[in-house]
Amino acid sequence: MGITAVSEPKRHHYIPVFYLTPWAQRRGELYEFSKPYKRVVGKWRHPKATGYKVGLYTMPGVPPEHAQEIEKRLMGMTDGSAAQAHRILLSANTAEPYMSAELRFAWARFIYALIFRSPHYLDRIRASYAEDAARLVDSYSDLYDSLRAPTDPATFEEFRAGFLANPRNLTPLNVLRALILGGDGPLHISAMHYRVFQLPSSVKRSFLTSDRPIIMTNGLTKPEGHIIVPLSPTALFVADNTDRAFKYVRSLSPPTLIRHVNKQVAEQSHQLVYSRDESPLQFITPLLGKGVKATPVG
């Protein structure tokens, strides 16, 4: 009996399928708005067929059997546990749903990862990370002789050349892994108040989402710090340090709240905005791809 080879994942979703699925209400498809040229166009898409880039998290300079570890393990862990938290948030019949400490942290890690896992962010830091890596190596030049192992090159110059020639040492995926696994952001987010705001069933309009769906203040540790993320066409996730943000959300009329949220998630998008149908085309057209600053990192 032969051994069946396991295919490696090629489509690396920076907008996970589970997150987009609530907008897929027509034959399992959602409506994707994009601007490939000068005008905004729309297309029905399955959540699996959008929000991805082939090989986005493929680690260069490693054996093929290890090249997909970030996609399979890091993103698999991040998205797998976040999907459980997402289901709890969507099914809650209270504004403040109960969630275990483990799932609270998993959801916080997912939100934090959304900031950094996009092609745009990775491309933006690629050049600067290579420069930082070179400076880091250079900082050890005076110590090289004392730190050199028997298997290391005889001179620092040889070591430096070899290190900087290895694409594994220069990829921004190293930064991505460190941020998701070791950043302080998830710890702080998980300590905030978690709440869900549901639109009344009588409201006809709905929330949009995009390839940058997080609405965040500049100082999360400040009393007014908050995060807002569309969970579905009819639900918002609100995290804050006090009750201020959630009270403000509840104080707005549904049309005003929907307009504010949709404007922000559309104008801070890079390439993609999503809806449950094609009706917001006119609203989205002047906003999509403006790339307005969404988080403290851009």
Side-chain angles (χ1 to χ4, degrees):
M1 184 176 178
I3 298 175
T4 303
V6 178
S7 62
E8 296 292 342
K10 295 182 176 64
R11 294 182 174 185
H12 297 175
H13 284 85
Y14 52 95
I15 306 296
V17 173
F18 83 82
Y19 173 72
L20 292 178
T21 296
W23 279 269
Q25 299 184 2
R26 176 186 178 271
R27 301 196 306 271
E29 296 177 321
L30 73 168
Y31 205 74
E32 174 203 271
F33 295 92
S34 64
K35 194 176 182 180
Y37 302 107
K38 292 185 177 181
R39 66 186 184 91
V40 174
V41 297
K43 187 172 184 178
W44 290 102
R45 295 276 196 186
H46 190 277
K48 291 182 180 179
T50 186
Y52 72 88
K53 183 176 180 180
V54 173
L56 178 62
Y57 307 125
T58 299
M59 179 65 77
V62 300
E65 62 269 23
H66 299 303
Q68 305 302 327
E69 291 300 296
I70 288 182
E71 169 65 12
K72 292 193 297 186
R73 304 205 182 280
L74 180 59
M75 296 308 174
M77 172 193 68
T78 300
D79 296 343
S81 52
Q84 299 178 49
H86 190 239
R87 286 193 292 270
I88 291 174
L89 293 170
L90 284 179
S91 62
N93 54 11
T94 175
E96 197 164 0
Y98 170 76
M99 195 181 294
S100 68
E102 182 180 11
L103 282 183
R104 284 179 63 87
F105 183 80
W107 183 248
R109 182 176 57 206
F110 166 72
I111 290 175
Y112 195 65
L114 275 182
I115 300 171
F116 303 106
R117 66 193 287 182
S118 72
H120 180 270
Y121 179 79
L122 293 175
D123 286 344
R124 184 162 66 85
I125 68 169
R126 194 176 307 277
S128 62
Y129 182 70
E131 293 172 1
D132 290 343
R135 282 195 293 269
L136 178 63
V137 174
D138 289 341
S139 70
Y140 284 91
S141 60
D142 294 338
L143 301 173
Y144 183 72
D145 288 341
S146 61
L147 296 174
R148 184 175 72 86
T151 56
D152 288 334
T155 67
F156 172 75
E157 287 71 22
E158 291 176 276
F159 172 81
R160 183 183 191 278
F163 183 90
L164 297 180
N166 187 341
R168 181 180 184 179
N169 297 326
L170 305 182
T171 175
L173 295 175
N174 294 321
V175 177
L176 180 66
R177 179 172 18 216
L179 285 168
I180 294 176
L181 293 178
D184 292 333
L187 287 173
H188 181 76
I189 295 170
S190 65
M192 300 173 86
H193 300 293
Y194 283 14
R195 295 184 178 86
V196 177
F197 176 84
Q198 293 277 357
L199 289 174
S201 58
S202 59
V203 176
K204 302 303 179 185
R205 293 182 60 198
S206 59
F207 296 120
L208 305 173
T209 192
S210 74
D211 54 7
R212 293 211 305 173
I214 299 173
I215 301 171
M216 180 186 293
T217 54
N218 269 331
L220 286 184
T221 59
K222 297 177 181 178
E224 66 273 17
H226 66 267
I227 297 171
I228 296 175
V229 185
L231 290 173
S232 78
T234 60
L236 284 181
F237 171 74
V238 182
D240 56 13
N241 295 318
T242 64
D243 290 332
R244 189 179 304 178
F246 188 67
K247 285 181 178 178
Y248 178 70
V249 165
R250 293 182 63 180
S251 72
L252 298 175
S253 68
T256 300
L257 176 63
I258 292 168
R259 185 169 60 253
H260 284 348
V261 170
N262 288 353
K263 181 177 184 296
Q264 194 144 351
V265 298
E267 69 180 3
Q268 68 191 30
S269 68
H270 284 307
Q271 295 178 311
L272 301 168
V273 174
Y274 300 101
S275 173
R276 64 183 179 185
D277 58 40
E278 61 267 62
S279 62
L281 175 61
Q282 187 174 358
F283 174 84
I284 290 170
T285 294
L287 303 175
L288 193 154
K290 289 180 70 175
V292 169
K293 185 175 181 179
T295 71
V297 300

